[in-house]
Amino acid sequence: MKKEDFVALGISEELAEKAAEASKKEMEAYVPRARLNEEVQKKKNAEEALNSVKTELDKLKASAGDSEALRTQIKTLQDDLKDKETKYSAEIAEMKMTNAITAALGNTARDAELVAGLLDKTKLILGDDGKVTGLDEQIKTIKESRPFLFTDDNGYPDVKDGGQPSETGGKMSTRDQFANWFDQVTN
């Protein structure tokens, strides 16, 4: 309490001053309310963390009792991880191969995805330099059997020598080439 508070209670000035000083000294030992609340919250958080750790420790103790179950669970997780790594590695290799084939086909194929689908990728080897070994031979075979899938340097469908002219008098259209090829295959 302050000196004025003591005087208001009817204590003399002299005694009120002594009481105020004693009260001030006594209050120095006390913690402010905000700090007290902060410390109480810290204690509460520490107790919650301790209880959480105790719970986890109890679970671990229960699991450790059955070490074979733990080993089985770890082995299962490791196998799953290996399977996922293998799967993703295969997908990445497939994407690299597809991109290398598409790049190698460039503008020579009318539909690079269609031509890539006709390739036997098991016989292709992707080098570190990004070149595909065995691709040229397969493309040559496909060009011979399905020339309508490819274009020449001018962007026209690639027609074998002696190809029949189209109705417009120029090179054969893709539709005409396909019809000829279909007739050859079905007959």
Side-chain angles (χ1 to χ4, degrees):
M1 291 176 77
K2 296 181 184 177
K3 178 181 169 184
E4 295 81 23
D5 296 330
F6 287 115
V7 172
L9 290 173
I11 299 178
S12 69
E13 278 283 320
E14 198 174 296
L15 285 176
E17 192 170 319
K18 286 182 182 180
E21 284 181 28
S23 177
K24 184 177 179 183
K25 284 184 181 178
E26 185 181 8
M27 294 303 284
E28 287 176 358
Y30 289 100
V31 177
R33 183 72 176 174
R35 177 126 194 259
L36 176 66
N37 290 341
E38 182 180 309
E39 293 300 319
V40 168
Q41 187 62 38
K42 284 182 183 178
K43 181 181 181 257
K44 184 177 177 182
N45 291 344
E47 288 174 349
E48 288 175 2
L50 179 63
N51 288 336
S52 175
V53 169
K54 284 181 181 178
T55 303
E56 291 297 320
L57 184 59
D58 290 341
K59 287 180 183 177
L60 184 59
K61 283 180 183 177
S63 297
D66 188 7
S67 62
E68 187 60 36
L70 280 175
R71 286 188 187 117
T72 304
Q73 185 178 8
I74 290 170
K75 177 74 171 132
T76 302
L77 292 172
Q78 288 174 336
D79 291 344
D80 288 347
L81 179 63
K82 285 179 185 177
D83 290 343
K84 287 180 181 180
E85 286 177 350
T86 303
K87 176 185 170 189
Y88 293 132
S89 294
E91 287 177 4
I92 289 172
E94 176 68 22
M95 286 186 335
K96 285 181 180 179
M97 178 66 81
T98 300
N99 290 339
I101 290 170
T102 303
L105 289 172
N107 294 330
T108 61
R110 296 179 69 77
D111 187 345
E113 290 180 28
L114 180 64
V115 174
L118 296 173
L119 297 171
D120 183 2
K121 292 181 183 176
T122 60
K123 296 180 181 177
L124 301 176
I125 300 171
L126 180 62
D128 292 334
D129 59 353
K131 293 187 179 181
V132 183
T133 305
L135 181 64
D136 293 336
E137 295 83 17
Q138 288 192 38
I139 289 176
K140 183 179 177 185
T141 304
I142 294 172
K143 273 187 179 183
E144 290 172 359
S145 63
R146 298 176 177 106
F148 57 88
L149 293 175
F150 297 90
T151 60
D152 64 9
D153 294 335
N154 298 324
Y156 294 111
D158 194 10
V159 180
K160 295 179 185 176
D161 289 339
Q164 299 173 358
S166 68
E167 297 168 1
T168 60
K171 292 193 173 199
M172 289 179 62
S173 68
T174 304
R175 186 180 81 209
D176 293 338
Q177 287 184 19
F178 181 76
N180 287 343
W181 172 81
F182 187 75
D183 288 341
Q184 290 173 359
V185 172
T186 57
N187 290 333

